[in-house]
Amino acid sequence: MSSRRLPVYLVLDCSGSMSGDPIEAVNQGVKALVAELKSEPYALETAYLSVISFESTAQQVCPLTELMTFQPPHLSASGATSMGAALKLLSQCFDKEVQQASETQKGDWKPLVFLMTDGMPTDSWEKAAKELKQKRPANIIACAAGSSADEYLLKKITEIVVKLDNLQPDTLKHFFKWVSQSVKQTSQSVAQVMADNQPINLPPPPQGITIVP
């Protein structure tokens, strides 16, 4: 088997509006996602996980870690929505953690990023978003969670945007299940040697989640 890694970044909004049931559901969702991926041989072989949270600031709560030893963090909600800071940090993490191809080695697979937010950015984010969209360093799936999030703003970061009808624990649970299925599918297709620039093949989203055209 190749030792190329599939880096997976979860970039999660932990602003004050997520407090209570939503952030609890996110914590449960991340735990369920890790448990589900650990039961999938291809994911165990290739997937490495990292969690970036953002509120008034952005921080990488878990550096890129192989699935087997990954411990889900405990996230709490407070503060504003510094999405710009999160996007900048994400780019720095790519530079620092993702192995680039060179003459002697193939490098990692293109990272998979799931960015979830339930509101509008409170800092300047346009420049960071534009850079990510131009460079395309990763396959980014952005999620507008609930009615206060703007899916068209997220289109400025990536083509692939999904919308959650609401922030109910069930909907969030479905979202994380869908994320784990997406990672599983991608880890299987890289195991079967996916061409590097092939678009990713996402499973159909569950009820309560729509892909924004």
Side-chain angles (χ1 to χ4, degrees):
M1 281 297 277
S2 82
S3 56
R4 296 176 75 181
R5 307 179 304 171
L6 172 66
V8 179
Y9 288 87
L10 302 177
V11 184
L12 303 172
D13 183 341
C14 294
S15 58
S17 52
M18 286 291 291
S19 59
D21 288 347
I23 196 74
E24 209 28 64
V26 167
N27 278 312
Q28 294 305 322
V30 174
K31 277 189 188 133
L33 167 125
V34 173
E36 184 148 331
L37 292 180
K38 282 183 178 173
S39 68
E40 160 60 60
Y42 288 120
L44 271 178
E45 187 85 43
T46 55
Y48 277 62
L49 270 187
S50 167
V51 176
I52 291 173
S53 69
F54 61 100
E55 9 97 15
S56 299
T57 56
Q59 52 189 349
Q60 188 180 30
V61 218
C62 303
L64 200 60
T65 306
E66 71 175 304
L67 201 51
M68 211 50 232
T69 55
F70 183 86
Q71 295 296 325
H74 182 76
L75 302 168
S76 52
S78 66
T81 311
S82 300
M83 196 202 290
L87 297 176
K88 273 198 205 95
L89 179 58
L90 181 64
S91 292
Q92 288 161 3
C93 292
F94 291 156
D95 294 343
K96 195 170 73 204
E97 295 177 327
V98 179
Q99 200 79 58
Q100 295 304 322
S102 68
E103 285 175 17
T104 51
Q105 60 173 16
K106 282 195 153 166
D108 289 333
W109 297 105
K110 199 170 198 176
L112 201 49
V113 176
F114 293 90
L115 163 73
M116 185 181 103
T117 181
D118 76 325
M120 304 296 280
T122 50
D123 63 350
S124 59
W125 58 277
E126 291 91 340
K127 185 168 173 279
K130 197 171 161 189
E131 278 175 14
L132 278 175
K133 202 164 181 185
Q134 280 169 346
K135 283 188 187 163
R136 296 182 183 275
N139 287 309
I140 301 176
I141 294 98
C143 167
S147 54
S148 308
D150 181 349
E151 58 271 36
Y152 298 104
L153 180 149
L154 293 175
K155 283 272 185 183
K156 295 195 161 80
I157 304 170
T158 175
E159 305 295 329
I160 313 169
V161 178
V162 298
K163 175 89 175 162
L164 300 193
D165 291 350
N166 55 49
L167 284 173
Q168 293 302 320
D170 264 5
T171 309
L172 287 163
K173 192 173 140 188
H174 289 321
F175 170 68
F176 279 99
K177 187 149 179 64
W178 180 72
V179 170
S180 55
Q181 287 166 341
S182 306
V183 175
K184 274 160 73 167
Q185 233 171 277
T186 308
S187 66
Q188 285 165 6
S189 56
V190 298
Q192 291 147 9
V193 188
M194 178 171 91
D196 275 325
N197 291 321
Q198 198 170 312
I200 52 167
N201 186 3
L202 295 169
Q207 199 179 345
I209 300 175
T210 42
I211 291 181
V212 180

